[in-house]
Amino acid sequence: MATASVTSSTAGRLLGTVRLPLSIFAFLALALGVLGIDQFVNAMTLGAIYALVALGYTMVYGIIELINFAHGDVFMVGSFVAMFISSSLLGNEGSITNVPLLGVSVLVLFALTIGVMALLGALIERLAYRPLRRAPKLAPLITAIGVSFILQNLIQFFFGPTIVTVPQLVPIEWSIQISGSRVPLLNLFVIASSVILMVALQLFISRTRTGRAMRTTSMDRDASSLMGVNINRTIMITFLIGSGLAGAAGVVHGLYYGNTNYSLGFQSGLKAFTAAVLGGIGNTAGAALGGFLIAFVEVGASAFGYGRWGGAVVFSLLVIFLVFRPTGLLGSHTGDRA
Amino acid sequence: MAPLLELKDVHTYYGAVHALRGVSLKVEEGEIVTLIGSNGAGKTTTLRTISGLERARSGSIKLKGKSIEAAEPHDIVRLGVGHSPEGRRVFSRMSVRENLEMGAFLRKSGPDVQKDFKKVFDLFPRLKERESQAAGTMSGGEQQMLAIGRALMAQPKILLLDEPSMGLAPILVEQIFDIITEINSRGTAVLLVEQNAMMALGIAKRGYILQIGEVTLEDSCAKLAKNPKVREAYLGV
Ligand SMILES: Nc1ncnc2c1ncn2[C@@H]1O[C@H](COP(=O)(O)OP(=O)(O)O)[C@@H](O)[C@H]1O
Ligand SMILES: [Mg+2]
């Protein structure tokens, strides 16, 4: 009896740990089969961008339980900052075919945009949210909506209300053949850079001292400060990182689509928010997963000729999850707060 | 010499609720002092105010003569105040070991911290057995041990304990109190908040009775235990 129960619980635990990777793998295989390689790569690319933005929503929610409605607009500003740095500062006009030069340009573009956006995020936190730390929860929520309007208006003021072109540094004609299909390197580049950033984030959160402070602060702020964690500093770093990732998303968005506009944050931001809820708001791995899932739903819808309904399907998912499973697929990390 | 910890006329509010109405108390180096009071008297608020989690609106809090009433909680930890809060507040999704590591958050990891791990495991062998278990899945008593052990990892000069006996079986309560005495005998001062007056008066040297945010009585524990009013109100005799 005892042995049997031990074995079954070990098997259960083993099943528990492989279940998620297995389901992800099964899902991807299924999606690849149904969509074909072209659409599959499109979905992965779109998903990578949603995931980067969703991380910022989820990290901020995890640590201060604020749905930062301005985060989509931070991503939008990121796309403009990237455009500005790329075209005005670095003087890029189109693609760069010299590989070392392309590499350096892209790296500099990432570094500068991430840096500027991280600072902007920290500034927003300091000015708009920190003064309301002890106010009722509705107050920062309303402020977030205010920040969202301010960012949109600022961008309209400086760049106008129309679509703005962004230099596509990675030549779009570069591609590789995968089982008979032409897969643009640009897509692979977007996917790879997002994945690298997400892995780096996970390592940062799980391995570093500051990462541990972020985790304990999101579990229990008071207990965390009794350990000697500087709460204000930790929250500010969370905004720095979340906004930096939104900046990175802005860079890849521009490289991929070649344009941006001031209302980008509303559209894509809402989808990234849906992704965060889907994965379990407060849960970073969940946000990444949710981002890809939303993209597959959207791309799947258009692949079957329901492209116009993509948004409707995505937001129906949001409502369904909010009603029936508010903790999301992986479970909200704040849900089991003691 | 200035006392290790000294509160003078501390007032703390929650919005319009006047929770501490001029609390004064002190803890000398190496002492166990207990703060006794019924539910809602302001015991937790007193400890939270010392740790900087609540702000005193007036009055002074001094640690070895240095004012800390305006300091940030993380700086107060650095200055040597350990706090095992009401309700234990262990990090439920982290392992026992990770919780203890968080206790040493402000210290450089190295042989000193390793030595303290060993000390904590000596005091609480249960924690050693459960080292890799998620803290949230442990029993109340084990979580209490972890909360105390975690506070010790910062090498505090004074340990604030908020109702360590709450919700524990009598035999466990006795164990925990033995360990508190042991911790104290190794040189850490203790400010012990309790509703369980019997046990607290048994191990502390001096005690304060807190009623509706005010200290109404202060004496040696031996005398408090004999005081008819205390016996009636807190010892149920
Ligand atoms: N977060 C809070 N908001 C408002 N009032 C509070 C809060 N915490 C405690 N109080 C009030 O402050 C008083 C003291 O509470 P507390 O310090 O928790 O007492 P004790 O620990 O002695 O039971 C009580 O009247 C309680 O209702
Ligand atoms: Mg209390």
Side-chain angles (χ1 to χ4, degrees), chain A residues 134 209 212-213 215-216 219-220 222-232 333-334 336 338, chain B residues 48 51 53-54 73-74 77 83 85 89 91-94 98-99 101-103 105-106 150:
Chain A
R134 281 163 177 256
R209 210 172 97 92
R212 268 196 297 151
R215 277 190 293 151
T216 56
M219 278 186 253
D220 187 331
D222 282 349
S224 194
S225 62
L226 292 179
M227 304 297 105
V229 171
N230 183 337
I231 302 298
N232 279 335
H333 267 185
T334 49
D336 56 355
Chain B
R48 287 177 61 86
S51 285
L53 295 174
E54 309 294 344
H74 58 269
V77 178
H83 185 161
R89 311 281 285 262
F91 300 114
S92 52
R93 273 179 288 110
M94 286 180 156
E98 286 175 304
N99 267 272
E101 276 168 5
M102 273 316 289
F105 184 75
L106 291 175
R150 187 179 65 174

mmCIF file of all heavy atoms in Angstrom, chain A residues 134 209 212-213 215-216 219-220 222-232 333-334 336 338, chain B residues 48 51 53-54 73-74 77 83 85 89 91-94 98-99 101-103 105-106 150:
data_model
loop_
_atom_site.group_PDB
_atom_site.id
_atom_site.type_symbol
_atom_site.label_atom_id
_atom_site.label_comp_id
_atom_site.label_asym_id
_atom_site.label_seq_id
_atom_site.Cartn_x
_atom_site.Cartn_y
_atom_site.Cartn_z
ATOM 1 N N ARG A 134 -0.305 54.500 -0.900
ATOM 2 C CA ARG A 134 -1.213 54.134 0.184
ATOM 3 C C ARG A 134 -2.655 54.561 -0.077
ATOM 4 O O ARG A 134 -3.504 54.489 0.793
ATOM 5 C CB ARG A 134 -0.714 54.729 1.505
ATOM 6 C CG ARG A 134 0.422 53.913 2.102
ATOM 7 C CD ARG A 134 1.189 54.672 3.158
ATOM 8 N NE ARG A 134 2.220 53.825 3.734
ATOM 9 C CZ ARG A 134 2.124 53.255 4.926
ATOM 10 N NH1 ARG A 134 1.065 53.436 5.665
ATOM 11 N NH2 ARG A 134 3.112 52.500 5.383
ATOM 12 N N ARG A 209 19.748 38.648 -6.516
ATOM 13 C CA ARG A 209 19.256 39.166 -5.256
ATOM 14 C C ARG A 209 18.052 40.084 -5.492
ATOM 15 O O ARG A 209 17.026 39.984 -4.830
ATOM 16 C CB ARG A 209 20.397 39.970 -4.626
ATOM 17 C CG ARG A 209 20.426 40.011 -3.153
ATOM 18 C CD ARG A 209 21.731 40.682 -2.745
ATOM 19 N NE ARG A 209 21.498 42.082 -2.479
ATOM 20 C CZ ARG A 209 21.204 42.555 -1.272
ATOM 21 N NH1 ARG A 209 21.132 41.747 -0.241
ATOM 22 N NH2 ARG A 209 20.987 43.829 -1.086
ATOM 23 N N ARG A 212 15.055 38.111 -6.394
ATOM 24 C CA ARG A 212 14.418 37.509 -5.212
ATOM 25 C C ARG A 212 13.608 38.551 -4.460
ATOM 26 O O ARG A 212 12.520 38.279 -3.976
ATOM 27 C CB ARG A 212 15.481 36.897 -4.297
ATOM 28 C CG ARG A 212 15.732 35.438 -4.592
ATOM 29 C CD ARG A 212 16.476 34.796 -3.458
ATOM 30 N NE ARG A 212 17.798 35.414 -3.304
ATOM 31 C CZ ARG A 212 18.445 35.487 -2.156
ATOM 32 N NH1 ARG A 212 17.922 34.990 -1.065
ATOM 33 N NH2 ARG A 212 19.631 36.056 -2.105
ATOM 34 N N ALA A 213 14.157 39.760 -4.374
ATOM 35 C CA ALA A 213 13.413 40.826 -3.697
ATOM 36 C C ALA A 213 12.112 41.109 -4.438
ATOM 37 O O ALA A 213 11.069 41.356 -3.817
ATOM 38 C CB ALA A 213 14.269 42.087 -3.616
ATOM 39 N N ARG A 215 10.380 38.945 -6.190
ATOM 40 C CA ARG A 215 9.436 37.847 -5.924
ATOM 41 C C ARG A 215 8.826 37.961 -4.535
ATOM 42 O O ARG A 215 7.620 37.830 -4.364
ATOM 43 C CB ARG A 215 10.144 36.493 -6.060
ATOM 44 C CG ARG A 215 10.231 36.018 -7.503
ATOM 45 C CD ARG A 215 10.707 34.594 -7.560
ATOM 46 N NE ARG A 215 12.096 34.485 -7.115
ATOM 47 C CZ ARG A 215 12.611 33.411 -6.546
ATOM 48 N NH1 ARG A 215 11.872 32.353 -6.319
ATOM 49 N NH2 ARG A 215 13.882 33.395 -6.190
ATOM 50 N N THR A 216 9.656 38.221 -3.516
ATOM 51 C CA THR A 216 9.082 38.273 -2.163
ATOM 52 C C THR A 216 8.187 39.497 -2.009
ATOM 53 O O THR A 216 7.179 39.431 -1.322
ATOM 54 C CB THR A 216 10.175 38.301 -1.079
ATOM 55 O OG1 THR A 216 11.051 39.396 -1.327
ATOM 56 C CG2 THR A 216 10.964 37.017 -1.067
ATOM 57 N N MET A 219 4.908 38.639 -3.250
ATOM 58 C CA MET A 219 4.193 37.700 -2.363
ATOM 59 C C MET A 219 3.663 38.392 -1.130
ATOM 60 O O MET A 219 2.536 38.163 -0.706
ATOM 61 C CB MET A 219 5.133 36.571 -1.927
ATOM 62 C CG MET A 219 5.267 35.458 -2.933
ATOM 63 S SD MET A 219 6.267 34.123 -2.219
ATOM 64 C CE MET A 219 7.761 34.339 -3.126
ATOM 65 N N ASP A 220 4.495 39.208 -0.500
ATOM 66 C CA ASP A 220 4.108 39.815 0.773
ATOM 67 C C ASP A 220 5.018 41.020 1.025
ATOM 68 O O ASP A 220 6.162 40.877 1.437
ATOM 69 C CB ASP A 220 4.269 38.783 1.896
ATOM 70 C CG ASP A 220 3.720 39.288 3.224
ATOM 71 O OD1 ASP A 220 3.734 40.513 3.457
ATOM 72 O OD2 ASP A 220 3.287 38.445 4.027
ATOM 73 N N ASP A 222 5.005 43.560 3.209
ATOM 74 C CA ASP A 222 5.477 43.853 4.568
ATOM 75 C C ASP A 222 6.551 42.865 5.002
ATOM 76 O O ASP A 222 7.604 43.265 5.508
ATOM 77 C CB ASP A 222 4.312 43.807 5.566
ATOM 78 C CG ASP A 222 3.465 45.067 5.511
ATOM 79 O OD1 ASP A 222 3.898 46.041 4.857
ATOM 80 O OD2 ASP A 222 2.383 45.080 6.117
ATOM 81 N N ALA A 223 6.280 41.582 4.790
ATOM 82 C CA ALA A 223 7.267 40.579 5.197
ATOM 83 C C ALA A 223 8.575 40.843 4.464
ATOM 84 O O ALA A 223 9.661 40.707 5.030
ATOM 85 C CB ALA A 223 6.754 39.180 4.894
ATOM 86 N N SER A 224 8.470 41.240 3.207
ATOM 87 C CA SER A 224 9.657 41.498 2.421
ATOM 88 C C SER A 224 10.434 42.677 3.002
ATOM 89 O O SER A 224 11.669 42.632 3.093
ATOM 90 C CB SER A 224 9.224 41.781 0.986
ATOM 91 O OG SER A 224 10.304 41.727 0.133
ATOM 92 N N SER A 225 9.733 43.718 3.429
ATOM 93 C CA SER A 225 10.508 44.833 3.989
ATOM 94 C C SER A 225 11.104 44.460 5.336
ATOM 95 O O SER A 225 12.146 44.992 5.704
ATOM 96 C CB SER A 225 9.744 46.156 4.005
ATOM 97 O OG SER A 225 8.648 46.177 4.744
ATOM 98 N N LEU A 226 10.494 43.513 6.048
ATOM 99 C CA LEU A 226 11.107 43.051 7.299
ATOM 100 C C LEU A 226 12.376 42.233 7.054
ATOM 101 O O LEU A 226 13.137 41.964 7.976
ATOM 102 C CB LEU A 226 10.105 42.218 8.114
ATOM 103 C CG LEU A 226 8.916 43.005 8.677
ATOM 104 C CD1 LEU A 226 7.978 42.078 9.443
ATOM 105 C CD2 LEU A 226 9.387 44.148 9.571
ATOM 106 N N MET A 227 12.602 41.815 5.817
ATOM 107 C CA MET A 227 13.855 41.128 5.469
ATOM 108 C C MET A 227 14.942 42.138 5.109
ATOM 109 O O MET A 227 16.079 41.771 4.856
ATOM 110 C CB MET A 227 13.659 40.205 4.256
ATOM 111 C CG MET A 227 12.575 39.164 4.388
ATOM 112 S SD MET A 227 12.882 37.990 5.694
ATOM 113 C CE MET A 227 11.745 38.554 6.926
ATOM 114 N N GLY A 228 14.549 43.415 5.014
ATOM 115 C CA GLY A 228 15.526 44.423 4.636
ATOM 116 C C GLY A 228 15.418 44.821 3.169
ATOM 117 O O GLY A 228 16.289 45.522 2.649
ATOM 118 N N VAL A 229 14.358 44.371 2.505
ATOM 119 C CA VAL A 229 14.187 44.740 1.098
ATOM 120 C C VAL A 229 13.690 46.186 1.014
ATOM 121 O O VAL A 229 12.759 46.558 1.726
ATOM 122 C CB VAL A 229 13.170 43.798 0.409
ATOM 123 C CG1 VAL A 229 12.815 44.305 -0.985
ATOM 124 C CG2 VAL A 229 13.719 42.383 0.342
ATOM 125 N N ASN A 230 14.331 46.958 0.161
ATOM 126 C CA ASN A 230 13.900 48.335 -0.072
ATOM 127 C C ASN A 230 12.741 48.288 -1.071
ATOM 128 O O ASN A 230 12.940 48.074 -2.267
ATOM 129 C CB ASN A 230 15.074 49.148 -0.622
ATOM 130 C CG ASN A 230 14.713 50.602 -0.826
ATOM 131 O OD1 ASN A 230 13.543 50.956 -0.968
ATOM 132 N ND2 ASN A 230 15.723 51.453 -0.849
ATOM 133 N N ILE A 231 11.536 48.480 -0.564
ATOM 134 C CA ILE A 231 10.340 48.255 -1.384
ATOM 135 C C ILE A 231 10.256 49.266 -2.528
ATOM 136 O O ILE A 231 10.002 48.891 -3.673
ATOM 137 C CB ILE A 231 9.066 48.337 -0.514
ATOM 138 C CG1 ILE A 231 9.127 47.310 0.615
ATOM 139 C CG2 ILE A 231 7.815 48.123 -1.367
ATOM 140 C CD1 ILE A 231 9.192 45.880 0.179
ATOM 141 N N ASN A 232 10.461 50.536 -2.230
ATOM 142 C CA ASN A 232 10.368 51.550 -3.284
ATOM 143 C C ASN A 232 11.353 51.274 -4.407
ATOM 144 O O ASN A 232 11.033 51.395 -5.584
ATOM 145 C CB ASN A 232 10.625 52.945 -2.710
ATOM 146 C CG ASN A 232 9.382 53.487 -2.040
ATOM 147 O OD1 ASN A 232 8.257 53.090 -2.373
ATOM 148 N ND2 ASN A 232 9.567 54.379 -1.085
ATOM 149 N N HIS A 333 0.237 34.391 -9.717
ATOM 150 C CA HIS A 333 1.172 34.279 -8.598
ATOM 151 C C HIS A 333 0.714 35.011 -7.360
ATOM 152 O O HIS A 333 1.182 34.766 -6.274
ATOM 153 C CB HIS A 333 2.545 34.787 -9.025
ATOM 154 C CG HIS A 333 3.400 33.676 -9.521
ATOM 155 N ND1 HIS A 333 4.703 33.839 -9.861
ATOM 156 C CD2 HIS A 333 3.114 32.382 -9.720
ATOM 157 C CE1 HIS A 333 5.190 32.678 -10.256
ATOM 158 N NE2 HIS A 333 4.249 31.792 -10.192
ATOM 159 N N THR A 334 -0.192 35.938 -7.553
ATOM 160 C CA THR A 334 -0.645 36.662 -6.368
ATOM 161 C C THR A 334 -1.865 35.990 -5.763
ATOM 162 O O THR A 334 -2.283 36.313 -4.685
ATOM 163 C CB THR A 334 -0.995 38.117 -6.724
ATOM 164 O OG1 THR A 334 -1.826 38.093 -7.868
ATOM 165 C CG2 THR A 334 0.244 38.925 -6.983
ATOM 166 N N ASP A 336 -2.254 33.095 -4.464
ATOM 167 C CA ASP A 336 -2.090 32.282 -3.263
ATOM 168 C C ASP A 336 -1.447 33.072 -2.131
ATOM 169 O O ASP A 336 -0.848 32.522 -1.229
ATOM 170 C CB ASP A 336 -1.268 31.028 -3.567
ATOM 171 C CG ASP A 336 0.073 31.365 -4.157
ATOM 172 O OD1 ASP A 336 0.310 32.557 -4.415
ATOM 173 O OD2 ASP A 336 0.876 30.470 -4.350
ATOM 174 N N ALA A 338 -0.948 34.691 1.245
ATOM 175 C CA ALA A 338 -1.457 34.146 2.508
ATOM 176 C C ALA A 338 -2.499 35.071 3.127
ATOM 177 O O ALA A 338 -2.450 36.264 2.934
ATOM 178 C CB ALA A 338 -0.308 33.964 3.492
ATOM 179 N N ARG B 48 4.769 47.006 14.725
ATOM 180 C CA ARG B 48 4.846 47.529 13.347
ATOM 181 C C ARG B 48 5.387 48.957 13.328
ATOM 182 O O ARG B 48 6.062 49.363 12.380
ATOM 183 C CB ARG B 48 3.465 47.466 12.673
ATOM 184 C CG ARG B 48 3.054 46.027 12.311
ATOM 185 C CD ARG B 48 1.654 45.984 11.702
ATOM 186 N NE ARG B 48 1.550 46.746 10.472
ATOM 187 C CZ ARG B 48 1.842 46.277 9.264
ATOM 188 N NH1 ARG B 48 2.263 45.034 9.134
ATOM 189 N NH2 ARG B 48 1.709 47.034 8.198
ATOM 190 N N SER B 51 9.149 48.769 13.742
ATOM 191 C CA SER B 51 9.791 48.329 12.501
ATOM 192 C C SER B 51 9.637 49.305 11.352
ATOM 193 O O SER B 51 10.163 49.068 10.270
ATOM 194 C CB SER B 51 9.233 46.970 12.058
ATOM 195 O OG SER B 51 9.773 45.964 12.870
ATOM 196 N N LEU B 53 6.870 49.883 9.712
ATOM 197 C CA LEU B 53 5.795 49.523 8.782
ATOM 198 C C LEU B 53 4.604 50.463 8.946
ATOM 199 O O LEU B 53 3.823 50.665 8.038
ATOM 200 C CB LEU B 53 5.347 48.077 9.003
ATOM 201 C CG LEU B 53 6.394 47.013 8.687
ATOM 202 C CD1 LEU B 53 5.886 45.630 9.078
ATOM 203 C CD2 LEU B 53 6.742 47.037 7.209
ATOM 204 N N GLU B 54 4.447 51.009 10.161
ATOM 205 C CA GLU B 54 3.496 52.100 10.396
ATOM 206 C C GLU B 54 4.324 53.274 10.895
ATOM 207 O O GLU B 54 5.365 53.091 11.520
ATOM 208 C CB GLU B 54 2.439 51.723 11.449
ATOM 209 C CG GLU B 54 1.732 50.402 11.208
ATOM 210 C CD GLU B 54 0.857 50.398 9.973
ATOM 211 O OE1 GLU B 54 0.543 51.492 9.458
ATOM 212 O OE2 GLU B 54 0.514 49.301 9.490
ATOM 213 N N PRO B 73 11.750 50.914 6.851
ATOM 214 C CA PRO B 73 11.794 49.564 7.431
ATOM 215 C C PRO B 73 13.092 48.818 7.120
ATOM 216 O O PRO B 73 13.662 48.191 8.018
ATOM 217 C CB PRO B 73 10.601 48.859 6.786
ATOM 218 C CG PRO B 73 9.656 49.942 6.406
ATOM 219 C CD PRO B 73 10.489 51.158 6.125
ATOM 220 N N HIS B 74 13.578 48.916 5.862
ATOM 221 C CA HIS B 74 14.782 48.136 5.546
ATOM 222 C C HIS B 74 16.004 48.652 6.287
ATOM 223 O O HIS B 74 16.913 47.899 6.592
ATOM 224 C CB HIS B 74 15.020 48.073 4.035
ATOM 225 C CG HIS B 74 15.156 49.407 3.382
ATOM 226 N ND1 HIS B 74 14.076 50.084 2.860
ATOM 227 C CD2 HIS B 74 16.219 50.202 3.189
ATOM 228 C CE1 HIS B 74 14.486 51.231 2.358
ATOM 229 N NE2 HIS B 74 15.788 51.332 2.551
ATOM 230 N N VAL B 77 15.860 47.224 9.852
ATOM 231 C CA VAL B 77 16.387 45.858 9.890
ATOM 232 C C VAL B 77 17.917 45.908 9.950
ATOM 233 O O VAL B 77 18.549 45.230 10.749
ATOM 234 C CB VAL B 77 15.958 45.067 8.631
ATOM 235 C CG1 VAL B 77 16.547 43.665 8.660
ATOM 236 C CG2 VAL B 77 14.446 45.022 8.505
ATOM 237 N N HIS B 83 12.061 41.004 13.230
ATOM 238 C CA HIS B 83 10.628 41.054 13.520
ATOM 239 C C HIS B 83 9.975 39.808 12.939
ATOM 240 O O HIS B 83 9.982 39.611 11.731
ATOM 241 C CB HIS B 83 10.063 42.338 12.892
ATOM 242 C CG HIS B 83 8.623 42.613 13.199
ATOM 243 N ND1 HIS B 83 8.061 43.859 13.063
ATOM 244 C CD2 HIS B 83 7.615 41.808 13.632
ATOM 245 C CE1 HIS B 83 6.783 43.812 13.408
ATOM 246 N NE2 HIS B 83 6.492 42.575 13.741
ATOM 247 N N PRO B 85 6.529 38.562 12.331
ATOM 248 C CA PRO B 85 5.248 39.278 12.396
ATOM 249 C C PRO B 85 4.062 38.398 12.786
ATOM 250 O O PRO B 85 4.158 37.166 12.765
ATOM 251 C CB PRO B 85 5.074 39.796 10.968
ATOM 252 C CG PRO B 85 5.802 38.820 10.119
ATOM 253 C CD PRO B 85 6.947 38.307 10.950
ATOM 254 N N ARG B 89 3.633 35.082 8.250
ATOM 255 C CA ARG B 89 3.990 35.717 6.977
ATOM 256 C C ARG B 89 5.237 35.119 6.333
ATOM 257 O O ARG B 89 6.099 35.859 5.828
ATOM 258 C CB ARG B 89 4.184 37.223 7.181
ATOM 259 C CG ARG B 89 3.057 37.897 7.937
ATOM 260 C CD ARG B 89 1.854 38.159 7.064
ATOM 261 N NE ARG B 89 2.076 39.255 6.172
ATOM 262 C CZ ARG B 89 1.657 40.511 6.409
ATOM 263 N NH1 ARG B 89 0.994 40.799 7.514
ATOM 264 N NH2 ARG B 89 1.866 41.451 5.533
ATOM 265 N N PHE B 91 7.156 33.191 3.269
ATOM 266 C CA PHE B 91 6.931 33.254 1.825
ATOM 267 C C PHE B 91 6.493 31.865 1.376
ATOM 268 O O PHE B 91 7.312 30.964 1.236
ATOM 269 C CB PHE B 91 8.197 33.722 1.105
ATOM 270 C CG PHE B 91 8.632 35.088 1.558
ATOM 271 C CD1 PHE B 91 9.828 35.260 2.238
ATOM 272 C CD2 PHE B 91 7.827 36.201 1.337
ATOM 273 C CE1 PHE B 91 10.229 36.514 2.670
ATOM 274 C CE2 PHE B 91 8.210 37.461 1.770
ATOM 275 C CZ PHE B 91 9.407 37.615 2.436
ATOM 276 N N SER B 92 5.186 31.728 1.160
ATOM 277 C CA SER B 92 4.613 30.390 1.086
ATOM 278 C C SER B 92 5.100 29.589 -0.115
ATOM 279 O O SER B 92 5.209 28.381 -0.034
ATOM 280 C CB SER B 92 3.090 30.487 1.086
ATOM 281 O OG SER B 92 2.669 31.381 0.083
ATOM 282 N N ARG B 93 5.401 30.273 -1.233
ATOM 283 C CA ARG B 93 5.817 29.513 -2.407
ATOM 284 C C ARG B 93 7.313 29.281 -2.447
ATOM 285 O O ARG B 93 7.824 28.678 -3.379
ATOM 286 C CB ARG B 93 5.350 30.222 -3.687
ATOM 287 C CG ARG B 93 3.948 29.832 -4.090
ATOM 288 C CD ARG B 93 3.493 30.566 -5.337
ATOM 289 N NE ARG B 93 3.234 31.959 -5.059
ATOM 290 C CZ ARG B 93 3.978 32.968 -5.502
ATOM 291 N NH1 ARG B 93 5.044 32.734 -6.222
ATOM 292 N NH2 ARG B 93 3.669 34.210 -5.210
ATOM 293 N N MET B 94 8.020 29.780 -1.430
ATOM 294 C CA MET B 94 9.456 29.529 -1.409
ATOM 295 C C MET B 94 9.748 28.404 -0.423
ATOM 296 O O MET B 94 8.992 28.163 0.508
ATOM 297 C CB MET B 94 10.199 30.792 -0.978
ATOM 298 C CG MET B 94 10.236 31.855 -2.058
ATOM 299 S SD MET B 94 11.129 33.298 -1.426
ATOM 300 C CE MET B 94 11.668 34.028 -2.963
ATOM 301 N N GLU B 98 15.015 28.901 1.136
ATOM 302 C CA GLU B 98 14.929 30.216 0.495
ATOM 303 C C GLU B 98 14.387 31.273 1.451
ATOM 304 O O GLU B 98 14.817 32.427 1.435
ATOM 305 C CB GLU B 98 14.017 30.149 -0.741
ATOM 306 C CG GLU B 98 14.643 29.453 -1.932
ATOM 307 C CD GLU B 98 13.660 29.310 -3.083
ATOM 308 O OE1 GLU B 98 12.566 28.731 -2.868
ATOM 309 O OE2 GLU B 98 13.974 29.762 -4.183
ATOM 310 N N ASN B 99 13.440 30.866 2.302
ATOM 311 C CA ASN B 99 12.929 31.801 3.301
ATOM 312 C C ASN B 99 14.052 32.254 4.226
ATOM 313 O O ASN B 99 14.177 33.434 4.528
ATOM 314 C CB ASN B 99 11.826 31.141 4.127
ATOM 315 C CG ASN B 99 10.440 31.392 3.568
ATOM 316 O OD1 ASN B 99 9.802 32.387 3.899
ATOM 317 N ND2 ASN B 99 9.984 30.505 2.706
ATOM 318 N N GLU B 101 17.217 32.204 3.547
ATOM 319 C CA GLU B 101 18.130 33.049 2.767
ATOM 320 C C GLU B 101 17.611 34.488 2.710
ATOM 321 O O GLU B 101 18.376 35.447 2.790
ATOM 322 C CB GLU B 101 18.276 32.506 1.340
ATOM 323 C CG GLU B 101 19.305 31.404 1.229
ATOM 324 C CD GLU B 101 19.234 30.676 -0.110
ATOM 325 O OE1 GLU B 101 18.453 31.102 -0.987
ATOM 326 O OE2 GLU B 101 19.950 29.667 -0.251
ATOM 327 N N MET B 102 16.286 34.625 2.574
ATOM 328 C CA MET B 102 15.710 35.971 2.548
ATOM 329 C C MET B 102 15.957 36.675 3.877
ATOM 330 O O MET B 102 16.140 37.889 3.928
ATOM 331 C CB MET B 102 14.205 35.919 2.275
ATOM 332 C CG MET B 102 13.828 35.911 0.814
ATOM 333 S SD MET B 102 14.727 37.064 -0.228
ATOM 334 C CE MET B 102 14.063 38.653 0.305
ATOM 335 N N GLY B 103 15.961 35.914 4.961
ATOM 336 C CA GLY B 103 16.250 36.497 6.265
ATOM 337 C C GLY B 103 17.623 37.142 6.288
ATOM 338 O O GLY B 103 17.850 38.143 6.964
ATOM 339 N N PHE B 105 18.998 38.584 3.809
ATOM 340 C CA PHE B 105 19.030 39.394 2.581
ATOM 341 C C PHE B 105 20.071 40.502 2.620
ATOM 342 O O PHE B 105 20.721 40.790 1.627
ATOM 343 C CB PHE B 105 17.639 39.999 2.344
ATOM 344 C CG PHE B 105 17.520 40.769 1.065
ATOM 345 C CD1 PHE B 105 17.431 40.102 -0.148
ATOM 346 C CD2 PHE B 105 17.512 42.162 1.057
ATOM 347 C CE1 PHE B 105 17.322 40.802 -1.344
ATOM 348 C CE2 PHE B 105 17.403 42.871 -0.135
ATOM 349 C CZ PHE B 105 17.312 42.189 -1.332
ATOM 350 N N LEU B 106 20.245 41.138 3.772
ATOM 351 C CA LEU B 106 21.154 42.286 3.838
ATOM 352 C C LEU B 106 22.601 41.879 4.087
ATOM 353 O O LEU B 106 23.491 42.717 4.119
ATOM 354 C CB LEU B 106 20.713 43.248 4.948
ATOM 355 C CG LEU B 106 19.406 43.999 4.681
ATOM 356 C CD1 LEU B 106 19.017 44.823 5.888
ATOM 357 C CD2 LEU B 106 19.563 44.889 3.457
ATOM 358 N N ARG B 150 13.922 32.822 10.370
ATOM 359 C CA ARG B 150 14.163 33.793 9.302
ATOM 360 C C ARG B 150 14.579 35.144 9.884
ATOM 361 O O ARG B 150 15.514 35.775 9.394
ATOM 362 C CB ARG B 150 12.872 33.925 8.491
ATOM 363 C CG ARG B 150 12.974 34.755 7.256
ATOM 364 C CD ARG B 150 11.643 34.797 6.524
ATOM 365 N NE ARG B 150 10.606 35.466 7.304
ATOM 366 C CZ ARG B 150 9.377 35.752 6.848
ATOM 367 N NH1 ARG B 150 9.029 35.383 5.640
ATOM 368 N NH2 ARG B 150 8.508 36.355 7.610
#
